[in-house]
Amino acid sequence: MPLIAGLTLAALATATLSAMAGMGGGMILIGLLYATGFTPALALPLHAGVQLTSNGSRAMVYAPHIRWRALGVFLVGAVPVPFVVAAWVASANPDVLRLIMAVFIALGIWPVWARYLRLHGRAGLLVAGLIAGVMGPLVGGVGVLVAPFFLRDDWRKNNIIATMAVGQMCAHAVKIVAFSLNGFNVFARLDLLVPMALAAIVGTLIGRRLGGVLSERVFRIVFRSILLALVAKLAWDGLAGLDVI
């Protein structure tokens, strides 16, 4: 029961964060699942199920602001790739995945790397889709990694949140199918999935109302602090599991 209660609260808090900022919650949640000691076979499908609900509810709340043409370009890269990557994840060393996740969360904390790619518009969205397709099955939450490609001058914050929500919802749905074809069962822990998914819906509604309360400066400080702690935890666990430390 303490585990269920704790993860339900985590789903509520991370969904609230994502609804307020458009990203970040999924990466924190998958980090917490791994830090709790879950194996990839349990953590990844569970995370995909919760995030499918979270992003779906966010997409409904922000539906009028979705940019459908841009979304189509993103999905060209995001949809087919997970079917290739999921097969590798099924046989991967969990400690190696923890280290990979630590590296990519660190990249997500300060995503200035995306500027050097100098990709904007459709090209940037296609690359974002490919990143989501490759890294989604490996690290679960990729919102922070693809967000730089959605930060367009002609889009308002609500356009970014809405379009990313639908894109990630579709990506999580594809991951669930790809995982199921490789022995991962999203329904293996319904005792966790159901309360966490319901909490994610409530978190979306709360975050939508609190969208203007948290300043961007405070948000960045809190967000980066949480992710830094998760990077340290995942890197330590991964290295310890590989007997490096």
Side-chain angles (χ1 to χ4, degrees):
M1 286 299 292
L3 176 64
I4 296 175
L7 290 178
T8 300
L9 288 174
L12 175 69
T14 53
T16 301
L17 174 65
S18 289
M20 295 172 66
M23 57 181 170
M27 185 170 282
I28 293 175
L29 183 60
I30 188 62
L32 289 172
L33 290 173
Y34 269 99
T36 302
F38 286 5
T39 63
L42 177 58
L44 288 168
L46 176 61
H47 177 267
V50 175
Q51 290 303 108
L52 176 65
T53 305
S54 177
N55 283 283
S57 59
R58 193 157 69 250
M60 291 180 64
V61 170
Y62 288 93
H65 306 283
I66 299 169
R67 295 297 180 94
W68 292 103
R69 289 185 179 180
L71 178 65
V73 177
F74 172 82
L75 293 179
V76 168
V79 170
V81 181
F83 290 97
V84 177
V85 179
W88 180 82
V89 175
S91 59
N93 186 318
D95 294 308
V96 172
L97 288 181
R98 287 187 177 90
L99 290 176
I100 292 174
M101 184 176 300
V103 170
F104 276 88
I105 290 178
L107 288 175
I109 296 175
W110 287 282
V112 293
W113 54 270
R115 297 176 186 172
Y116 297 102
L117 296 179
R118 300 184 183 280
L119 292 173
H120 305 284
R122 292 184 177 180
L125 290 170
L126 180 61
V127 170
L130 291 172
I131 292 174
V134 173
M135 298 311 304
L138 293 176
V139 302
V142 296
V144 178
L145 296 177
V146 303
F149 300 98
F150 284 83
L151 299 177
R152 297 168 48 158
D153 294 336
D154 58 333
W155 286 16
R156 294 180 177 272
K157 179 181 178 181
N158 285 349
N159 296 131
I160 297 171
I161 293 176
T163 309
M164 282 185 62
V166 180
Q168 292 185 90
M169 178 188 71
C170 295
H172 286 300
V174 170
K175 278 195 304 180
I176 290 173
V177 176
F179 283 147
S180 67
L181 295 176
N182 288 277
F184 291 70
N185 184 5
V186 69
F187 301 113
R189 290 294 303 269
L190 282 175
D191 59 325
L192 289 172
L193 177 61
V194 172
M196 290 177 70
L198 292 175
I201 295 174
V202 175
T204 296
L205 298 176
I206 295 174
R208 180 70 172 91
R209 290 187 173 274
L210 297 179
V213 173
L214 190 66
S215 71
E216 184 169 341
R217 177 177 176 275
V218 174
F219 164 74
R220 290 181 183 275
I221 293 174
V222 174
F223 178 59
R224 286 174 173 167
S225 298
I226 294 172
L227 289 181
L228 279 172
L230 285 174
V231 166
K233 169 67 173 169
L234 291 169
W236 178 270
D237 289 347
L239 293 172
L242 295 172
D243 293 325
V244 176
I245 56 175

